[in-house]
């Protein structure tokens, strides 16, 4: 702990300005917090100064005295409980007894004044804790600074400031109605007194108390606590108990830190006649070839196939040896086996395909594709959202077209999130642990038969990764795993989970993905001609390729030119929070040694990652990738327009007639997402048996009009029944598994859905920009639409909130609360734990797809393509792909309100959706002929499929990437 520990504790509860109402809790907040700080059993602070209902000048004078008195080895804590007020510039002011809200700058405590005290002091450790409305603004203000200030701070001792706030920058903070403390401070004090926030060393760190408060406040739901750690090195200890007993679990053989797996890499019990079943099971080719899946169903039976999650590796591990012996002697099975294996082996020929004919000989090039996640099949859950599905579809299509590609990513043993909803509608998920021994993935071994380990050196300390191989048709995918004995415990968890919100852990993931990925390829003897970066996370691969060339004797300028001209960067996200960005201090910690190998200074390296829109925000991975790639693209035409405007300061050197970034609109892998019966039975009959091989040819889809309306409608009705049956069965299983089932909690999960009712599907990540609750803006109008006695409507929601996104969880809970309201007649449902498996049902079984994000936040949006391919039209705001995809006949679209006031904008957009439903969608759906077929609706379904099948397929997308970028890059690399 620090040499001296000082605290200034400010309570503002009585105010002279009548516009500020008096508060009951601040004085008690300061009293209780002060008790734990001065106690030798807890905080053991040297001095604390409680200030109750003082004027602003008196408080600032005392605060300045403390900062002047403290040395660089001391700790200073500032705590405030009271009213937080914003000025017109959006800056935070802490109200005091004499505050006049019309004169905030002179009669309150501006946060920028506290920043001034910190900057003028010698103190290296500062804690700021605020319990007031809009307190999250403080973190934003205190973290700002010029680039020069931040770069200079790297080379001198600076103040480490930890900020803990009771709410976000837009939320109020609340007093407890039944107790004498504010909600936030109540949990703050409880976490210290109970030692509930302590770690195994008896320390209550700031990270620990934040995690404790965050967990406790899930129950309150009114506000979301926030934290910032600025220039902080190591743990900031708030309290310590030397008598605290270490809480630990004794696990033999260090199994908790370094899990070992016994992998059945081959199936030794399979008879020779059908030996290649093992090779097929470990190649995800079967996931998009129905004949491959049918072969495994013939082997083990449909029940075993379903019981094992449609995963042939897991099923074959379960089957008795006798099953394989019988199959090897069954003439019918053998005929089918031989036919499937012949097609499989033809598809594995590396020297054939569209790429060789139209771009280059695969022997002359190798493309390395880097992505943080891959959505290939639910048997291998190493994906979280649309970025992963896009990457998975990309590899599958590259296999189909013979593109010589190798994928690089992570093996996430804890996956993303196994979503579970509590009885009060709160998302309380657990890790989705991957059974690697039962997954279609193999661990690579070295020449001695030991797991292959690749060292990532030249950093602060070496990190080691094990490597797993996934076969995706002709494409190889290598997944890195840091959970190995050679790593320190803190390094073993780097690859544990997808999408961590911890900045340092995220940086470590990006280092392993980029630098480690290149080193893994080198260890495997793979030298890529070009690399393709799917989003900014793997951009450090550029650095490693640059280092390799410099190490072999190239001048830095020459090496940089070659690396740039053989790098393609695809940017996706438009949401700033989803763009990886790291403080310069954190970058210095991990790269100070590495960048010496590149022959550039720290300052020059850091400037490669500066975002010109906000130079002080840190090292931006998107900005770095844009600078260091000669080829760049967006994922839709609208996305391109937004990115060019968003980064306009970045493109200042480009001629006006030259676009600085290209676009390739995303597409979906048609064989993966098309319903099997729709493709095999209906399309084969009416479009011709070669439709799938030529599905990017628009002329194929002109034959859609040959399909009788009644045939298509009957198929869709069957898909809808399958969806509703699946939802009902999932609800039933949840009901069985509950210890104390509550009848009130079953309704929101779809048990009252009706197959005869127009069904809308909304499936998105529960992030604020997707506006999941937009359709709830006018609940009375919505109720009338849903419960119309003659033409009712029902809505099915699905999706997950990020585990650390409290606001997203609140949105999800709001949906479940409305779904539970009997006034809506069971017409609203939520599907728990949405994944690729249930996606297949949703995308094919709903009648209408709803998409209403903030338009400037959607890059493309492939889920609407998947639905449209299966004859499910969408109603969508014009953003992403829908700007190109909408033709006036294949669904419904609207521009969206332009009002900058969020509330007004959302009201207007919701009203537009209600209008479209009431005036167009509902009447069209319920207008049926004597046979019960809504022929006009079926025409919209056909148009949706026709437009998507050719224009928005991954076949068109991969060909476009190859012709626009790969061809030139390969030619350059050969030269």
């Amino acid at each position: 702990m620090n040499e001296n520990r000082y605290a200034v504790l400010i309570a503002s509860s009585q105010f002279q300005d009548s516009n500020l109402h008096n508060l009951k809790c601040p004085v008690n907040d300061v009293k209780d917090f002060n008790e734990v700080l001065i106690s030798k059993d807890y905080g053991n602070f040297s001095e604390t100064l409680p200030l109750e209902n003082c004027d602003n000048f008196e408080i600032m004078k005392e605060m300045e005295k403390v900062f002047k008195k403290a040395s660089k080895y001391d700790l200073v804590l500032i705590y405030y409980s009271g009213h937080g007020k914003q000025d017109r510039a959006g800056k935070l002011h802490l109200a005091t007894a004499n505050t006049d809200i019309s004169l905030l700058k002179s009669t309150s405590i501006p946060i920028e004044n506290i920043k001034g005290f910190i900057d003028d002091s010698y103190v290296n450790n500062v804690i700021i804790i605020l319990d007031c409305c809009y307190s999250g603004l403080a973190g934003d203000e205190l973290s700002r600074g010029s680039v020069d200030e931040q770069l200079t701070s790297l080379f001198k001792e600076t103040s480490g400031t930890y900020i803990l706030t009771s709410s976000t920058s837009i939320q109020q903070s609340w007093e407890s109605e039944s107790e004498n403390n504010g909600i936030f401070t109540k949990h703050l004090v409880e976490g210290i007194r109970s030692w509930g926030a302590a770690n195994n060393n008896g320390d209550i760190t700031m990270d620990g108390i934040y995690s404790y408060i965050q967990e406790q406040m899930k129950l309150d739901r009114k506000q979301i606590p926030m934290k910032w750690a600025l220039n902080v090195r190591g743990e900031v200890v708030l309290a310590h108990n030397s008598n605290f007993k270490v809480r630990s679990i004794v696990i033999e053989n260090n199994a908790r830190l370094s899990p070992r797996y016994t992998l059945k890499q081959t199936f030794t019990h399979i008879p020779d006649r059908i030996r290649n079943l093992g090779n097929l099971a470990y190649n995800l080719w079967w996931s998009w070839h129905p004949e491959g899946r049918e072969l495994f169903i013939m082997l083990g039976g449909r029940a075993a196939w379903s019981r094992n999650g449609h995963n042939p590796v897991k099923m074959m591990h379960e089957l008795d040896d006798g099953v394989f012996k019988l199959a090897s002697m069954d003439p019918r099975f053998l005929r089918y086996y031989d036919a499937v294996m012949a097609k499989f082996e033809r598809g594995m020929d590396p020297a054939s395909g569209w790429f060789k004919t139209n771009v280059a000989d695969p022997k002359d090039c190798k493309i390395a594709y880097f992505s943080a996640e891959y959505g290939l099949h639910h048997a291998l859950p190493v994906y979280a959202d649309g970025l992963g599905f896009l990457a998975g579809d990309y590899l599958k299509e590259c296999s189909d077209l013979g593109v010589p590609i190798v994928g690089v990513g992570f093996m996430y043993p804890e996956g993303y999130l196994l979503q579970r909803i509590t009885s009060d509608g709160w998302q309380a998920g657990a890790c989705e642990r991957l059974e690697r021994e039962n997954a279609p993935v193999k661990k690579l071994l070295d020449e001695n038969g030991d797991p292959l380990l690749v060292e990532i050196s030249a950093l602060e300390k070496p990190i080691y990764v094990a490597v797993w191989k996934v076969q995706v048709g002709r494409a190889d995918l290598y997944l890195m795993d840091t959970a190995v004995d050679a790593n320190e415990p803190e390094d073993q968890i780097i690859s544990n989970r997808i999408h961590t919100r911890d900045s340092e852990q995220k940086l470590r993931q990006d280092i392993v993905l980029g630098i480690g990925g290149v080193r893994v390829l080198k260890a495997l003897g793979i030298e890529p001609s070009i690399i393709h970066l799917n989003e900014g996370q793997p951009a450090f691969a550029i650095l490693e390729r640059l280092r390799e060339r410099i190490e072999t004797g190239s001048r830095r300028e020459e090496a940089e030119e070659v690396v740039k001209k053989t790098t393609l960067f695809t940017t996706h996200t438009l949401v700033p929070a989803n763009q990886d960005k790291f403080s310069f201090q954190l970058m210095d910690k991990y790269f100070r040694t590495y960048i010496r190998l590149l022959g550039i200074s720290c300052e020059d390296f850091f400037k490669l990652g500066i975002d010109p829109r906000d130079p002080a925000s840190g090292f931006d991975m998107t900005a770095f990738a844009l600078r260091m790639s000669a080829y760049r693209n967006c994922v839709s035409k609208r996305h391109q327009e937004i990115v060019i405007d968003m980064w306009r300061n970045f493109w200042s050197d480009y001629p006006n007639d030259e676009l600085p970034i290209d676009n390739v609109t995303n597409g979906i892998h048609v064989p993966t997402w098309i319903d099997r019966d729709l493709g095999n039975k209906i399309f084969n009959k009416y479009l011709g048996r070669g439709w799938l091989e030529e599905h990017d040819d628009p002329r194929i889809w002109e034959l859609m009009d040959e399909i009788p309306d009644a045939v298509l409608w009957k198929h869709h009705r069957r898909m809808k029944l399958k969806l509703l049956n699946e939802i009902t069965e999932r609800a039933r299983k949840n009901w069985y598994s509950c210890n104390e089932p509550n009848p009130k909690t079953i309704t929101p999960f779809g048990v009252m859905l009706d197959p005869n009712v127009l069904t809308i599907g909304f499936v998105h990540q529960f992030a604020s920009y997707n506006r999941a609750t937009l359709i709830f803006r006018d609940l009375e109008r919505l109720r009338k639409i849903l419960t119309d006695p003659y033409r009712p409507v029902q809505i099915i929601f699905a999706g997950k909130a990020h585990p650390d996104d409290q606001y997203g969880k609140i949105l999800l809970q709001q949906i479940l609360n409305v779904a539970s309201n009997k006034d809506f007649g069971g017409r609203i449902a939520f599907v728990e734990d949405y994944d690729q498996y249930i996606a297949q049902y949703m995308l094919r079984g709903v009648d209408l797809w709803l998409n209403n994000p903030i338009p400037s936040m959607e890059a493309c949006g492939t889920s609407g393509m998947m639905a449209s391919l299966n004859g499910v039209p969408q109603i969508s705001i014009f953003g992403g792909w829908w700007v190109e995809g909408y033709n006036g006949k294949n669904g419904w679209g609207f521009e969206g309100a332009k009002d900058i006031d969020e509330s007004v904008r959302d009201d207007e957009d919701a009203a537009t959706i209600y209008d479209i439903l009431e005036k167009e969608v509902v009447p069209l759906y319920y207008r049926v002929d004597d046979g019960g077929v809504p022929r006009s609706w079926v025409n919209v379904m056909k148009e949706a499929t026709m437009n998507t099948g050719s224009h928005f397929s991954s076949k068109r997308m991969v060909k476009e990437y190859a012709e626009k970028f790969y061809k030139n890059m390969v030619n350059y690399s050969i030269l």
Side-chain angles (χ1 to χ4, degrees):
M1 304 237 298
N2 306 82
E3 188 169 305
N4 291 299
R5 295 158 65 80
Y6 303 104
V8 179
L9 311 172
I10 306 160
S12 292
S13 60
Q14 305 291 320
F15 304 96
Q16 299 166 14
D17 190 331
S18 59
N19 292 305
L20 292 169
H21 65 271
N22 292 335
L23 300 169
K24 72 169 185 174
C25 293
V27 172
N28 287 322
D29 287 343
V30 164
K31 174 178 173 292
D32 291 346
F33 191 33
N34 185 50
E35 286 180 1
V36 295
L37 292 183
I38 62 175
S39 170
K40 296 188 183 300
D41 294 330
Y42 297 106
N44 197 25
F45 269 63
S46 313
E47 294 181 25
T48 62
L49 179 62
L51 298 172
E52 298 178 5
N53 296 315
C54 299
D55 290 348
N56 68 319
F57 61 86
E58 181 181 350
I59 294 171
M60 286 193 286
K61 181 175 71 173
E62 295 299 332
M63 210 183 297
E64 186 173 12
K65 284 181 182 178
V66 170
F67 277 108
K68 294 288 186 186
K69 174 168 60 174
S71 74
K72 69 178 183 178
Y73 301 110
D74 297 337
L75 180 143
V76 174
L77 183 151
I78 305 296
Y79 169 85
Y80 173 83
S81 177
H83 280 304
K85 289 294 177 182
Q86 288 187 67
D87 62 19
R88 291 183 179 178
K91 295 185 176 181
L92 180 65
H93 298 256
L94 308 180
T96 58
N98 65 318
T99 294
D100 181 338
I101 62 171
S102 64
L103 301 169
L104 281 176
K105 287 190 176 181
S106 58
T107 63
S108 69
I109 305 173
I111 289 297
E112 59 187 21
N113 283 20
I114 298 178
K115 185 177 188 299
F117 292 147
I118 296 171
D119 291 344
D120 290 342
S121 74
Y122 296 103
V123 182
N124 280 348
N125 298 281
V126 178
I127 297 173
I128 297 174
I129 303 176
L130 305 179
D131 189 352
C132 62
C133 296
Y134 318 117
S135 51
L137 287 168
D140 297 335
E141 288 187 50
L142 290 166
S143 60
R144 290 195 189 109
S146 70
V147 177
D148 291 337
E149 287 174 347
Q150 291 202 40
L151 290 177
T152 301
S153 73
L154 293 173
F155 307 103
K156 69 180 186 69
E157 292 187 280
T158 58
S159 299
T161 304
Y162 199 108
I163 306 154
L164 183 59
T165 68
S166 59
S167 63
T168 69
S169 60
I170 61 173
Q171 289 180 321
Q172 294 180 315
S173 294
W174 299 85
E175 297 186 318
S176 174
E177 296 177 1
S178 59
E179 301 183 47
N180 293 322
N181 292 110
I183 292 173
F184 170 82
T185 298
K186 178 185 75 170
H187 295 310
L188 170 67
V189 175
E190 277 180 359
I192 300 172
R193 279 181 175 159
S194 68
W195 295 103
N199 61 21
N200 286 346
N201 297 320
D203 290 336
I204 293 180
T205 65
M206 290 305 296
D207 282 339
I209 194 67
Y210 167 74
S211 297
Y212 177 87
I213 295 170
Q214 183 187 46
E215 187 66 27
Q216 297 302 312
M217 289 182 70
K218 289 178 182 176
L219 303 175
D220 297 306
R221 313 280 159 71
K222 293 182 178 181
Q223 59 198 79
I224 300 171
M226 302 292 289
K227 70 167 183 175
W228 288 259
L230 310 178
N231 304 336
V232 171
R233 298 172 188 263
E235 296 283 7
V236 180
V237 178
L238 182 62
H240 176 76
N241 184 353
S242 58
N243 297 318
F244 189 76
K245 293 182 179 180
V246 176
R247 297 167 295 179
S248 62
I249 301 173
V250 177
I251 300 179
E252 295 184 10
N253 299 323
N254 292 323
R256 181 172 63 91
L257 296 179
S258 51
R260 297 182 181 276
Y261 298 88
T262 302
L263 295 178
K264 297 181 181 177
Q265 300 288 14
T266 59
F267 297 97
T268 57
H269 57 300
I270 300 178
D272 288 342
R273 177 64 176 85
I274 54 174
R275 171 69 57 196
N276 281 333
L277 273 176
N279 293 333
L280 179 59
Y282 276 105
N283 192 318
L284 285 166
W285 180 90
W286 54 260
S287 71
W288 73 92
H289 288 86
E291 59 270 34
R293 299 193 296 276
E294 190 62 36
L295 180 64
F296 292 114
I297 293 171
M298 288 179 67
L299 174 70
R302 197 166 295 278
W305 179 250
S306 298
R307 184 171 61 251
N308 289 285
H310 303 174
N311 176 356
V313 174
K314 187 175 182 180
M315 186 188 78
M316 288 170 66
H317 282 156
E318 177 191 272
L319 294 179
D320 186 83
D321 289 2
V323 173
F324 295 95
K325 186 174 181 179
L326 287 173
S328 70
M329 297 184 293
D330 181 347
R332 178 174 173 271
F333 180 84
L334 292 176
R335 283 195 299 271
Y336 197 78
Y337 168 83
D338 290 339
V340 171
M341 294 311 303
K343 182 173 182 179
F344 173 58
E345 288 164 6
R346 286 196 303 272
M348 294 304 103
D349 180 4
S352 64
W354 175 89
F355 188 86
K356 180 177 182 180
T357 305
N358 296 274
V359 181
D361 191 325
K363 293 183 296 185
D364 296 332
C365 59
K366 179 66 79 173
I367 301 161
Y369 185 82
F370 287 73
S371 181
E373 55 181 286
Y374 292 88
L376 293 158
H377 189 266
H378 52 269
L380 191 63
V382 291
Y383 59 89
D385 49 34
L387 182 72
F389 288 134
L390 185 278
D393 281 7
Y394 198 86
L395 288 191
K396 292 175 183 178
E397 196 63 65
C398 284
S399 172
D400 292 343
L401 295 174
V403 178
I405 200 164
V406 55
V408 179
F410 272 126
M411 169 67 75
Y412 297 106
E414 292 187 1
Y416 178 50
L417 172 71
L418 187 65
Q419 186 185 54
R420 291 293 177 260
I421 305 300
T422 64
S423 60
D424 63 348
W426 191 251
Q427 175 181 292
C431 297
E432 185 176 13
R433 295 197 176 275
L434 172 60
E435 298 179 39
R436 285 178 276 196
E437 69 274 21
N438 281 325
V441 56
K442 292 185 178 182
K443 197 170 193 176
L444 296 189
L445 308 177
D446 63 18
E447 62 275 11
N448 298 318
D450 298 320
L452 175 69
L453 289 184
V454 178
E455 180 181 342
I456 307 170
S457 56
L459 299 173
E460 185 181 32
K461 60 181 176 180
I463 295 172
Y464 299 88
V465 296
V467 186
W468 300 74
K469 182 178 180 180
V470 182
Q471 201 68 46
V472 188
R474 283 185 274 194
D476 296 332
L477 169 61
Y478 295 101
L479 302 178
M480 293 176 287
D481 183 0
T482 61
V484 297
D485 291 343
N487 284 329
E488 296 294 327
E490 64 269 20
D491 295 331
Q492 293 182 14
I493 62 172
I494 290 174
S495 64
N496 262 17
R497 297 185 65 186
I498 308 173
H499 293 343
T500 175
R501 290 286 177 95
D502 181 270
S503 182
E504 185 163 1
Q505 181 76 333
K506 187 181 293 185
L507 175 58
R508 284 146 56 87
Q509 282 191 343
D510 287 2
I511 289 170
V512 173
L513 180 59
I515 296 175
V518 174
R519 295 197 181 182
V520 163
L521 293 179
K522 185 174 184 179
L524 298 175
I526 299 170
E527 296 185 10
S529 314
I530 59 181
I531 65 169
H532 184 168
L533 306 176
N534 188 38
E535 200 45 286
Q537 295 98 327
F540 290 137
I542 296 170
L543 289 182
E544 182 62 10
R545 297 182 77 218
L546 190 60
R547 185 197 64 78
E548 287 181 344
R549 289 191 167 271
I550 292 173
E551 190 179 69
T552 56
S554 296
R555 291 191 304 110
R556 186 174 66 81
E557 293 76 12
E558 294 172 348
E560 188 171 309
E561 180 184 9
V562 172
V563 170
K564 280 186 175 182
K565 289 186 176 180
T566 55
T567 301
L568 168 61
F569 170 55
T570 299
T571 181
H572 292 264
T573 184
L574 291 166
V575 182
N578 291 346
Q579 294 175 350
D580 285 3
K581 188 174 291 191
F582 308 106
S583 72
F584 296 118
Q585 289 76 18
L586 198 56
M587 290 293 293
D588 177 64
K589 174 180 176 180
Y590 283 92
F591 281 95
R592 181 183 287 267
T593 301
Y594 185 89
I595 55 183
R596 291 176 190 152
L597 305 175
L598 305 177
I600 58 176
S601 66
C602 289
E603 291 90 339
D604 287 342
F605 170 59
F606 293 146
K607 286 176 181 178
L608 292 174
I610 287 177
D611 178 352
R613 299 168 299 173
D614 188 6
S617 61
F619 190 95
D620 188 293
M621 295 294 280
T622 300
F624 173 68
L626 288 170
R627 283 191 177 93
M628 297 300 291
S629 306
Y631 298 91
R632 305 171 283 260
N633 77 281
C634 300
V635 293
S636 71
K637 291 179 180 177
R638 174 59 62 88
H639 183 219
Q640 181 187 28
E641 295 170 2
I642 295 171
V643 167
I644 289 176
D645 181 62
M646 185 170 72
W647 292 86
R648 58 185 175 274
N649 294 334
F650 202 89
W651 320 117
S652 57
D653 295 336
Y654 279 79
N656 292 332
D657 59 347
E658 182 181 335
L659 292 176
I661 187 167
D662 212 323
N663 81 81
V664 176
T665 301
N666 284 342
I668 58 170
H669 189 240
V670 170
T672 292
W673 297 106
I674 192 73
D675 174 66
R676 176 182 177 180
D677 286 346
L678 181 61
N680 285 1
K681 295 180 179 179
I682 297 177
F683 288 178
N684 276 358
K685 181 176 181 179
Y686 294 98
L687 307 187
R689 289 194 171 273
W691 76 271
L692 189 57
E693 286 70 31
E694 305 294 335
H695 67 258
D696 59 331
D697 185 343
R699 293 172 297 180
I700 294 289
W701 298 99
E702 293 174 4
L703 296 170
M704 280 292 296
D705 288 333
E706 299 299 317
I707 303 174
D709 293 347
V711 169
L712 198 59
W713 182 244
K714 182 180 179 181
H715 168 79
H716 177 69
R717 288 276 300 168
R718 192 164 69 85
M719 292 296 99
K720 190 173 182 180
L721 283 169
K722 288 179 69 174
L723 167 64
L724 300 192
N725 287 341
E726 176 66 19
I727 290 174
T728 302
E729 188 58 29
R730 288 164 77 98
R732 191 191 323 278
K733 288 179 180 178
N734 285 344
W735 175 261
Y736 282 147
S737 64
C738 288
N739 293 327
E740 297 180 8
N742 181 350
K744 294 181 180 179
T745 64
I746 196 71
T747 304
F749 295 103
V751 295
M752 299 178 71
L753 295 174
D754 185 341
N756 298 309
V757 170
L758 169 61
T759 303
I760 300 172
F762 182 96
V763 179
H764 283 287
Q765 183 185 35
F766 279 82
S768 58
Y769 62 87
N770 281 324
R771 300 195 294 181
T773 57
L774 181 68
I775 202 166
F776 292 166
R777 297 294 290 188
D778 187 338
L779 285 174
E780 179 57 25
R781 189 172 178 184
L782 177 63
R783 185 192 65 78
K784 290 179 180 178
I785 293 172
L786 300 187
T787 61
D788 185 286
Y790 303 106
R791 301 187 303 188
V793 177
Q794 57 195 12
I795 309 174
I796 303 173
F797 290 89
K800 299 177 181 180
H802 187 283
D804 296 330
D805 185 357
Q806 302 304 310
Y807 183 69
K809 295 177 184 179
I810 290 171
L811 292 176
L812 194 155
Q813 186 184 45
Q814 289 173 356
I815 288 170
L816 286 155
N817 287 341
V818 176
S820 301
N821 189 331
K822 65 180 181 62
D823 292 342
F824 290 89
R827 300 291 191 202
I828 300 173
F830 178 81
V831 179
E832 187 180 49
D833 200 34
Y834 184 80
D835 62 6
Q836 193 173 22
Y837 174 73
I838 190 63
Q840 303 280 358
Y841 288 93
M842 286 283 290
L843 293 163
R844 301 161 183 171
V846 298
D847 297 307
L848 181 71
W849 202 254
L850 177 61
N851 183 54
N852 49 232
I854 298 171
S856 61
M857 295 293 185
E858 180 163 70
C860 187
T862 53
S863 65
M865 299 177 189
M866 298 167 186
S868 294
L869 176 68
N870 287 282
V872 176
Q874 75 165 351
I875 174 172
S876 174
I877 202 161
F878 284 126
W881 80 285
W882 198 231
V883 176
E884 302 163 58
Y886 179 67
N887 64 11
K889 298 180 291 183
N890 61 341
W892 293 266
F894 63 101
E895 283 292 347
K898 305 298 184 184
D899 202 299
I900 59 173
D901 183 277
E902 291 183 9
S903 181
V904 174
R905 178 200 65 200
D906 289 353
D907 285 343
E908 292 184 12
D909 285 351
T912 301
I913 293 173
Y914 300 144
D915 285 343
I916 293 173
L917 288 174
E918 292 167 338
K919 298 174 183 178
E920 300 179 50
V921 171
V922 174
L924 191 70
Y925 182 85
Y926 284 103
R927 188 186 308 145
V928 299
D929 63 12
D930 292 341
V933 178
R935 296 192 178 276
S936 297
W937 183 270
V938 173
N939 287 338
V940 179
M941 291 172 58
K942 289 181 177 180
E943 193 70 34
T945 300
M946 291 168 62
N947 191 48
T948 304
S950 60
H951 298 299
F952 298 100
S953 70
S954 58
K955 179 167 281 193
R956 184 274 312 155
M957 172 182 66
V958 172
K959 286 182 177 179
E960 196 170 341
Y961 272 111
E963 291 169 339
K964 273 190 175 183
F965 305 116
Y966 292 170
K967 184 178 290 187
N968 291 336
M969 297 167 78
V970 168
N971 290 339
Y972 175 83
S973 69
I974 293 173
L975 294 176

